[in-house]
Amino acid sequence: MIDKVKVFAQENNLIENNDKILVALSGGPDSVCLLHMLHSLKDELNLTIGAAHINHMLRGEEATGDELYVEKLCKNLSIPCYIARIDIDSISKKTSMSHEMVGRDERYKFFEAISNKHKYNKVAIAHNANDQAETVIMRMMRGTGLEGLVGIRAKRGGNIIRPILSLSREEIETYCSEKKLEPRIDKTNLENIYSRNKVRLDILPYMKENFNEDIIQTLNRMAGILQKDDEYINKQCNKAFKEYCELELESLLINKELFKLDDAIVTRVIKKSFIDYSGKYINFEMKHIYDVIDLAKKGTNKKIDLPNDIIAENIYGNIYLKYKKKKEENHQNNEIFIAKEGLSNNNLRFMNYIVNIEIINNKKNMEFSNNDLIKYFDYDKIRKGIIIRTRKDGDKIRPLGMTGNKKLKDIFINNKVPKEERDIIPIICFDNNISWIVGHKVSEDYKVTQKIEKIIKIKLVRKE
Amino acid sequence: MIDKVKVFAQENNLIENNDKILVALSGGPDSVCLLHMLHSLKDELNLTIGAAHINHMLRGEEATGDELYVEKLCKNLSIPCYIARIDIDSISKKTSMSHEMVGRDERYKFFEAISNKHKYNKVAIAHNANDQAETVIMRMMRGTGLEGLVGIRAKRGGNIIRPILSLSREEIETYCSEKKLEPRIDKTNLENIYSRNKVRLDILPYMKENFNEDIIQTLNRMAGILQKDDEYINKQCNKAFKEYCELELESLLINKELFKLDDAIVTRVIKKSFIDYSGKYINFEMKHIYDVIDLAKKGTNKKIDLPNDIIAENIYGNIYLKYKKKKEENHQNNEIFIAKEGLSNNNLRFMNYIVNIEIINNKKNMEFSNNDLIKYFDYDKIRKGIIIRTRKDGDKIRPLGMTGNKKLKDIFINNKVPKEERDIIPIICFDNNISWIVGHKVSEDYKVTQKIEKIIKIKLVRKE
C-alpha cells in the first residue's frame, strides 16, 4: 500500500527529498494512516514530519480524547505535535459564519502559522479516494462542467498536498489495523455531512453492488483524466485571453477575433473577462456568457445588461465590458475584492489606475523592479484574497523592517501628504491586513524572503 | 414545448428549410411526439416528412398492434409510412448476434434503404433528455473520460438528428396527452434494458428526491458543455497528429517533440496512433498509452510490447510503432478492418501499399484526381467499416455502369492478369461488399453522385 502512495506522490510531484511536511492530524483513520505512512518514508526521503491538531471544542470529552490520542501517537513516533484549542462555536456566533466555514478558516490559519514558525514547506491533508468519488458525484448532481468533475486535486497552490488521495477508505482501515494504530472514530461535526452521507451510504454502495465493484477507483481514474483535460483547456484559455482581451482604463475589450475560436475557449475567456473586470464571478451564469456571444453577432452600439452593474457593448463587433455610469462617482467608496482563486495574472481598474497582478511560481532568475509602483509580496500568505481600496479610519500597517504597527494617519502626517490627497491613495490589503500603501510603505508581514515559494507582483499604472 | 424544440434544433443545426426527414417511428410516446412536432413545423420550414416503422416480429399481437397504430397515425397526418417486417429472432440465431445488435443493424439498414429510395436527407431519432441523463450516468459508472461523458450527440454523421433530445420524458407524455395522440406503450425488448432500468427507476429518482429536483436537465446541460470541450480537444489532437506523426511503410513514427505537449493531447495522439496504425483500438488500454510515454523518456533502442502484435521502439527519442516480425509473412492472409468511427483521415499499411483514407464533408470546389490509385466513394453507404484484403473465392463486384454482378475471376481473365499477380491486388470492401478492385474496377453501388453528402477518398501509394 505504501508503494501505491509513493507512485501516486511521484506522478503528482507531491513530495521531494528534504521536504518538511506538516500533517493535518484529526486522529481519525485517514490522517493517522497518512502520518504513519509519511513517517515510514521519512528516512528514505529525508523528510521532516510534524503534526498539527485542532481541538474545535465542540464535542467535550470526545474532543479531549482525540487530543490525548494524537499527542500519544506523535510521542510514540517521535514527531512534534502542535495543538490548538479553538472555540469554533463562539467565533461562529460572532461572525455569523457556519461551523464548517469557521473550522476551515481556522484550520488553515493554524497550519500556516505553524508552518511559518517551524519552517514546514508543505501541509499534508488526508483526503482519500472515497472522498474524491463522493465529491465528483455531488458536484455532478449539483450541476457542473469539466472544472467541477475533476474533483479534489492532489496538489493545490504548491504547498497543500494530498498523498493518500489514491487509497480507498477500506485500504486505509486495513493499514491502520495492520499497524495497530487504533485511530479515533471520525466525527465530522464540522462538515456539512448530511448530503455527503447520502452519497456515501446510499448512492455509491448501490452503484458498487449493481454496476461496478470497483466504482471508487473508476471515479478516481475519471477525475484524474479529466484533470489533465481541464489543465490543458485552461492553459489555452489563458493564452487566448492574453491575445484577445485588454484591460483599458474604463473597460475591458474583447476583440471580435476571439469569437471565431472554438466554443470551449470562447466561453471560458468570457468568464475570465467577467472575473478579471469585476473581480468576482458571483451572480454570473452561463446564460450571461451566451448573451455576450450573441451580442457579438449583433450590430454596433447594441448593449446588454450584465450582473454586478456591468454592461457589455458591441462596437464594430468588438465587445467592451463597462461599469454602468452611476449618478455620482464616489471614489472614496471604491473597494475591489479579488478572491485568491481569481488572482492569477489579471488587470483591474481602480480609480485612475490599472492594477496588474501577476503570480510568479518560479523566482529563479526573476528580476525585481525598483519602481515605486511595483511591489512584490509573499503570495502564500494570502488566504481569501486581495482588497484594493482607499483609507479608512483606524487603518494600521506594520512597515517593512519594523516590529510594531503604525497608524496610517501618522504615516501621512510624517510624509506631509496633504489631506485632500490622502483619499485617493490606493491601499492594497491581503485579506483584512494592509500590505501596501501605494507610494509610501509596504508591510513587513508579507515581505519576500529566500524561503518563500510563490511571489505576487503588483504593479500600478497611472492613467490620467 | 415546440418552441423549445425549435431553439434546440437551431442551436445544434439539426433542421434546415426544405429538409426531407424520415422519422424512426416505433409507436411509443417519444417517436410519436417527435413525428407530431415535426409535422406541425412542416409548413413553416417547408419540410417533407416520412415515417419508417419496423415490426421486429418478436412480440406477436402487440407488435401487430403497434404496426396498425403507426399506420393509422400517419394516415391521419397524411404522412407516408414505410413498414418493414423483419424476423430479428431468426437473424439473431443465424448470426449469433444479440437481438439488440441485430435490431440496431436492421433498423439503420432499413432507414438507409428508404432514405435512398425516397430521397430523404435526414433520419430523425426520438431520444429524449432522460435517455441522455441515463446514458451519462451509465457511462460514468462503467468508467469513461470526457469522450463518454458527452453522452448522446444531437447530430451524428451529418444526417442522423435527435430533435427532442432536450425534452424530458414527462414533457413528452404531457405533449402526447394534450394532443390526444395515445401512443403505444414503449416495450423495449430489443434493448439491454436491465441496467438502464436501474438507473431510470432507482438512481435518478433518488438523486431527484434527495439532491436536485432538476437532475435530468442538470445532467443534460453538463453533457452539452462537455461536448464543446470534447470537440475542441479532439480538433487540437488531430492537428498535433498531423504535425508529429507519420505513417511510413513498415511503421508509424511519433516525433519526440510530441511528448513536450500537454498530457491531454499526448495521450489522445498516442491513442489515435494505435488506431491508425493497427486499424482498431480493441485490446488497448490507458496503461499502454502511459507505457509509450514512459518509453519516450528512456534511451534509444528500448522496446515494449503492445497489444495486437505491435511493438513500440524508442529510436533517439522518437517512437516507432511496428508490427512484430512474424516467421513468414503471408500476404495472402492479410486483412485489415477499419471501423467506421476510425475512418477519418488515416493512413494504413497494407502489403506494399500505404492506404490513405480521407473523409470529405464539403465536396464544393473539390478536385477529383484521375490517378488509377485514387478513387472516391459515397461515404454514407458504409455501415460498419472498411475491409482491405486480397481476393477470395467467390468474390463478385457490380462494376460501375453495369446492372449485374461480375465474378472477380472473370474480370481477371478478361484483363489478362497473370495468376501470380492476382493474389497481390488489394481489394477494398465496404462492409462485406467489394467497392474497388485496385487498378481494375470500382463498384456501381458506391459511386459518387450529385446528391451524396460525404465523400470517402481512398488513395494508395505503392512502396517498393
Side-chain angles (χ1 to χ4, degrees):
Chain A
M1 212 176 299
I2 191 106
D3 286 334
K4 193 170 166 186
V5 170
K6 267 167 71 179
V7 169
F8 182 78
Q10 221 160 41
E11 281 176 358
N12 294 279
N13 298 316
L14 301 187
I15 300 174
E16 280 165 272
N17 282 350
N18 309 316
D19 267 346
K20 299 191 66 170
I21 305 176
L22 183 68
V23 176
L25 183 65
S26 72
D30 299 339
S31 61
V32 168
C33 167
L34 171 62
L35 183 80
H36 195 272
M37 282 186 161
L38 288 179
H39 180 257
S40 65
L41 291 172
K42 200 178 139 143
D43 294 338
E44 187 182 338
L45 301 172
N46 194 28
L47 304 177
T48 308
I49 310 285
H53 175 80
I54 294 175
N55 182 337
H56 294 102
M57 299 170 67
L58 286 169
R59 291 177 292 114
E61 269 182 38
E62 256 183 83
T64 316
D66 292 351
E67 192 184 312
L68 291 172
Y69 170 82
V70 302
E71 253 181 335
K72 199 176 143 200
L73 177 70
C74 289
K75 207 173 160 190
N76 289 343
L77 299 171
S78 306
I79 288 174
C81 181
Y82 313 97
I83 291 179
R85 291 187 188 177
I86 298 171
D87 187 347
I88 298 293
D89 191 51
S90 78
I91 300 177
S92 173
K93 276 174 187 150
K94 257 186 247 160
T95 57
S96 317
M97 280 161 67
S98 67
H99 280 178
E100 185 188 352
M101 282 176 73
V102 173
R104 198 191 140 86
D105 271 13
E106 294 296 324
R107 273 199 300 279
Y108 280 95
K109 228 155 74 177
F110 181 57
F111 299 152
E112 196 186 303
I114 297 294
S115 294
N116 285 336
K117 194 168 165 192
H118 299 279
K119 314 282 176 230
Y120 290 99
N121 65 334
K122 284 179 185 159
V123 175
I125 314 272
H127 283 111
N128 64 36
N130 291 61
D131 297 325
Q132 176 72 301
E134 292 155 13
T135 301
V136 168
I137 297 273
M138 285 179 71
R139 291 194 184 162
M140 188 193 71
M141 289 189 299
R142 275 203 298 262
T144 190
L146 195 53
E147 73 288 356
L149 290 169
V150 304
I152 306 166
R153 288 178 193 274
K155 196 173 186 178
R156 185 165 63 82
N159 70 328
I160 306 281
I161 58 172
R162 298 188 170 91
I164 61 166
L165 190 58
S166 68
L167 296 186
S168 70
R169 200 164 283 146
E170 233 176 333
E171 287 174 307
I172 288 167
E173 279 160 11
T174 307
Y175 184 89
C176 287
S177 99
E178 274 173 10
K179 304 286 174 191
K180 301 198 172 40
L181 295 173
E182 292 170 10
R184 305 279 294 175
I185 291 153
D186 252 336
K187 296 279 178 194
T188 38
N189 280 349
L190 291 178
E191 233 198 314
N192 179 3
I193 197 67
Y194 182 71
S195 301
R196 189 173 282 268
N197 261 346
K198 290 194 169 175
V199 178
R200 183 176 297 176
L201 303 175
D202 293 340
I203 295 182
L204 285 169
Y206 184 93
M207 289 178 172
K208 185 171 176 171
E209 191 176 325
N210 292 283
F211 288 92
N212 184 349
E213 175 63 28
D214 202 30
I215 185 75
I216 300 296
Q217 293 305 333
T218 298
L219 290 172
N220 274 267
R221 270 194 299 274
M222 181 181 93
I225 294 172
L226 295 180
Q227 274 179 28
K228 312 272 185 185
D229 293 344
D230 189 51
E231 273 164 29
Y232 172 69
I233 297 190
N234 282 333
K235 209 164 127 183
Q236 303 306 315
C237 158
N238 288 337
K239 269 192 209 164
F241 184 87
K242 272 196 187 155
E243 193 167 347
Y244 298 107
C245 297
E246 206 174 319
L247 193 83
E248 300 177 347
L249 181 53
E250 294 288 338
S251 59
L252 187 147
L253 159 68
I254 306 173
N255 190 295
K256 63 184 170 191
E257 296 299 315
L258 173 79
F259 299 95
K260 295 181 184 163
L261 304 183
D262 296 79
D263 265 20
I265 298 299
V266 176
T267 51
R268 281 174 173 82
V269 170
I270 295 173
K271 179 174 177 178
K272 185 167 161 56
S273 300
F274 289 165
I275 296 171
D276 282 13
Y277 186 64
S278 74
K280 56 194 175 219
Y281 192 64
I282 196 165
N283 301 326
F284 286 109
E285 294 168 22
M286 271 316 271
K287 180 191 167 314
H288 302 115
I289 293 176
Y290 288 117
D291 287 347
V292 169
I293 295 175
D294 282 342
L295 179 66
K297 292 178 193 147
K298 298 208 171 117
T300 192
N301 293 326
K302 290 268 185 301
K303 285 178 197 174
I304 55 168
D305 281 330
L306 292 170
N308 303 338
D309 283 328
I310 292 177
I311 56 164
E313 185 171 1
N314 178 327
I315 299 179
Y316 298 113
N318 299 318
I319 298 292
Y320 289 81
L321 301 184
K322 301 175 185 179
Y323 281 105
K324 274 183 203 160
K325 288 268 176 282
K326 286 179 193 157
K327 283 157 225 149
E328 199 182 328
E329 253 203 83
N330 188 347
H331 282 329
Q332 280 71 10
N333 289 332
N334 263 355
E335 178 165 326
I336 301 176
F337 170 72
I338 315 119
K340 189 162 183 183
E341 306 85 64
L343 275 182
S344 59
N345 304 327
N346 54 25
N347 272 309
L348 293 158
R349 192 188 63 127
F350 178 75
M351 292 169 44
N352 285 348
Y353 293 89
I354 291 183
V355 184
N356 172 266
I357 299 174
E358 193 179 337
I359 313 297
I360 297 157
N361 288 304
N362 187 352
K363 61 183 177 188
K364 274 181 212 153
N365 308 321
M366 76 170 274
E367 285 180 27
F368 290 89
S369 161
N370 238 336
N371 188 318
D372 249 13
L373 292 180
I374 302 179
K375 295 291 169 199
Y376 306 84
F377 306 92
D378 181 353
Y379 170 78
D380 287 315
K381 282 206 183 140
I382 302 170
R383 283 170 48 228
K384 289 189 176 168
I386 290 186
I387 295 166
I388 308 173
R389 59 170 173 83
T390 49
R391 67 170 182 144
K392 284 181 183 171
D393 285 348
D395 269 348
K396 282 178 204 163
I397 188 171
R398 184 178 163 214
L400 193 64
M402 291 183 61
T403 43
N405 285 329
K406 271 195 102 164
K407 284 186 192 162
L408 250 67
K409 205 176 160 183
D410 297 340
I411 293 172
F412 286 148
I413 291 169
N414 282 344
N415 289 3
K416 302 197 171 59
V417 181
K419 273 193 179 167
E420 61 277 16
E421 276 184 26
R422 293 180 194 170
D423 282 331
I424 55 168
I425 291 172
I427 310 279
I428 314 287
C429 303
F430 290 180
D431 307 310
N432 283 314
N433 310 312
I434 297 178
S435 56
W436 186 15
I437 307 162
V438 175
H440 295 273
K441 295 270 177 218
V442 294
S443 160
E444 170 75 16
D445 297 333
Y446 301 104
K447 72 177 177 193
V448 171
T449 61
Q450 271 307 319
K451 74 168 190 61
I452 76 165
E453 288 212 333
K454 275 183 162 183
I455 289 174
I456 175 163
K457 173 182 172 185
I458 304 180
K459 173 181 166 188
L460 275 75
V461 179
R462 205 178 273 118
K463 296 261 175 177
E464 300 305 340
Chain B
M1 211 176 301
I2 190 107
D3 286 334
K4 192 169 166 186
V5 170
K6 267 167 73 177
V7 170
F8 182 78
Q10 222 159 40
E11 281 175 359
N12 293 281
N13 298 316
L14 302 186
I15 301 174
E16 281 164 274
N17 282 350
N18 309 315
D19 267 347
K20 300 192 64 170
I21 304 176
L22 183 68
V23 177
L25 183 65
S26 71
D30 299 339
S31 61
V32 167
C33 167
L34 171 62
L35 183 79
H36 195 271
M37 281 187 161
L38 289 179
H39 180 257
S40 65
L41 291 172
K42 200 177 138 141
D43 294 338
E44 186 183 338
L45 300 171
N46 195 28
L47 304 176
T48 308
I49 310 284
H53 175 81
I54 294 174
N55 182 337
H56 294 102
M57 299 170 68
L58 287 169
R59 291 177 292 114
E61 270 182 37
E62 257 183 82
T64 315
D66 292 349
E67 192 184 311
L68 291 172
Y69 169 82
V70 301
E71 252 181 335
K72 200 175 144 200
L73 176 71
C74 290
K75 208 174 160 191
N76 288 343
L77 299 172
S78 304
I79 288 174
C81 181
Y82 313 96
I83 291 176
R85 292 186 187 176
I86 297 170
D87 188 347
I88 297 294
D89 191 50
S90 78
I91 299 177
S92 173
K93 276 173 187 152
K94 255 185 247 161
T95 57
S96 317
M97 280 161 68
S98 68
H99 280 180
E100 185 189 352
M101 282 177 71
V102 173
R104 197 191 140 87
D105 272 12
E106 294 297 325
R107 272 199 301 278
Y108 280 94
K109 228 156 75 178
F110 181 57
F111 299 152
E112 196 186 303
I114 297 293
S115 293
N116 285 336
K117 195 168 165 192
H118 300 278
K119 315 280 175 232
Y120 291 99
N121 65 334
K122 283 177 186 162
V123 175
I125 314 273
H127 283 112
N128 64 35
N130 291 61
D131 297 326
Q132 176 71 301
E134 292 156 13
T135 301
V136 169
I137 297 274
M138 286 179 71
R139 290 194 185 162
M140 189 194 70
M141 289 190 300
R142 273 203 300 260
T144 189
L146 195 53
E147 73 288 355
L149 290 170
V150 304
I152 307 166
R153 288 178 192 274
K155 196 174 185 177
R156 185 164 64 81
N159 70 329
I160 306 281
I161 57 172
R162 298 187 169 91
I164 61 166
L165 189 58
S166 67
L167 296 185
S168 69
R169 200 164 284 144
E170 231 175 334
E171 288 175 305
I172 288 167
E173 279 161 11
T174 307
Y175 184 90
C176 287
S177 98
E178 272 173 11
K179 304 287 175 190
K180 301 197 171 41
L181 295 172
E182 292 170 9
R184 304 282 293 177
I185 292 155
D186 251 336
K187 297 279 179 193
T188 38
N189 280 349
L190 290 178
E191 234 197 312
N192 180 4
I193 198 68
Y194 182 70
S195 302
R196 189 172 282 267
N197 261 345
K198 291 192 170 178
V199 178
R200 184 176 297 176
L201 303 175
D202 294 339
I203 295 182
L204 284 169
Y206 184 92
M207 290 178 173
K208 186 171 174 171
E209 191 176 325
N210 291 283
F211 288 92
N212 184 348
E213 174 63 27
D214 201 30
I215 185 76
I216 300 297
Q217 293 304 333
T218 298
L219 290 172
N220 273 267
R221 270 194 299 272
M222 181 180 94
I225 293 172
L226 295 180
Q227 274 180 28
K228 311 272 185 184
D229 293 345
D230 190 50
E231 273 165 29
Y232 172 70
I233 297 190
N234 282 333
K235 209 164 126 181
Q236 303 307 314
C237 158
N238 288 337
K239 268 191 209 166
F241 184 87
K242 271 196 186 153
E243 193 168 345
Y244 297 108
C245 298
E246 207 174 318
L247 193 83
E248 301 177 345
L249 181 53
E250 294 288 337
S251 59
L252 187 147
L253 159 67
I254 306 174
N255 190 295
K256 61 182 170 193
E257 296 298 316
L258 174 78
F259 298 95
K260 295 180 185 164
L261 304 184
D262 295 80
D263 265 20
I265 299 299
V266 175
T267 51
R268 281 174 174 83
V269 170
I270 295 173
K271 180 173 178 179
K272 186 167 160 56
S273 300
F274 289 165
I275 296 171
D276 282 12
Y277 186 64
S278 74
K280 55 194 174 219
Y281 191 65
I282 196 165
N283 301 327
F284 285 109
E285 296 168 22
M286 271 316 271
K287 179 192 168 314
H288 302 114
I289 292 176
Y290 288 118
D291 288 348
V292 169
I293 294 176
D294 281 342
L295 180 67
K297 294 178 192 147
K298 298 206 171 121
T300 191
N301 293 326
K302 291 266 184 301
K303 285 178 198 175
I304 55 168
D305 280 330
L306 292 170
N308 303 338
D309 284 328
I310 292 177
I311 56 165
E313 185 170 1
N314 178 327
I315 299 179
Y316 298 114
N318 299 318
I319 298 293
Y320 288 80
L321 300 184
K322 302 176 184 178
Y323 280 105
K324 273 182 204 160
K325 289 265 176 283
K326 285 177 192 158
K327 283 156 226 149
E328 200 180 329
E329 234 176 295
N330 188 348
H331 283 327
Q332 281 71 9
N333 289 333
N334 263 356
E335 179 164 324
I336 301 177
F337 170 72
I338 316 120
K340 190 164 182 182
E341 307 85 63
L343 276 181
S344 59
N345 304 326
N346 53 23
N347 273 309
L348 294 157
R349 192 189 63 128
F350 179 75
M351 293 169 42
N352 286 347
Y353 294 89
I354 292 184
V355 184
N356 171 267
I357 298 174
E358 194 179 338
I359 313 298
I360 298 158
N361 287 305
N362 185 353
K363 61 182 177 188
K364 274 181 211 151
N365 307 323
M366 76 170 274
E367 285 180 28
F368 290 89
S369 160
N370 238 335
N371 188 318
D372 248 14
L373 291 179
I374 302 180
K375 295 290 169 199
Y376 305 84
F377 306 92
D378 181 353
Y379 171 78
D380 287 316
K381 283 206 182 139
I382 301 170
R383 283 172 45 231
K384 289 188 176 168
I386 291 186
I387 294 166
I388 308 173
R389 59 171 175 82
T390 50
R391 66 169 183 146
K392 286 180 181 172
D393 284 349
D395 269 346
K396 283 179 201 162
I397 188 172
R398 184 179 163 215
L400 193 63
M402 292 185 60
T403 44
N405 286 328
K406 272 194 100 164
K407 285 187 192 161
L408 251 66
K409 202 176 162 185
D410 296 341
I411 292 173
F412 287 147
I413 291 169
N414 281 344
N415 290 4
K416 302 198 171 59
V417 182
K419 274 193 179 168
E420 60 279 14
E421 276 184 26
R422 292 179 194 171
D423 282 331
I424 55 168
I425 292 172
I427 310 279
I428 315 286
C429 303
F430 290 180
D431 306 312
N432 283 314
N433 309 312
I434 298 177
S435 57
W436 186 14
I437 308 160
V438 175
H440 297 273
K441 296 269 176 217
V442 292
S443 160
E444 171 74 16
D445 297 332
Y446 301 102
K447 72 177 176 192
V448 172
T449 62
Q450 271 307 319
K451 76 167 187 60
I452 75 164
E453 289 211 333
K454 276 182 164 184
I455 290 174
I456 176 164
K457 173 182 173 185
I458 305 180
K459 173 181 168 187
L460 275 75
V461 180
R462 205 178 273 118
K463 297 259 174 178
E464 297 307 338

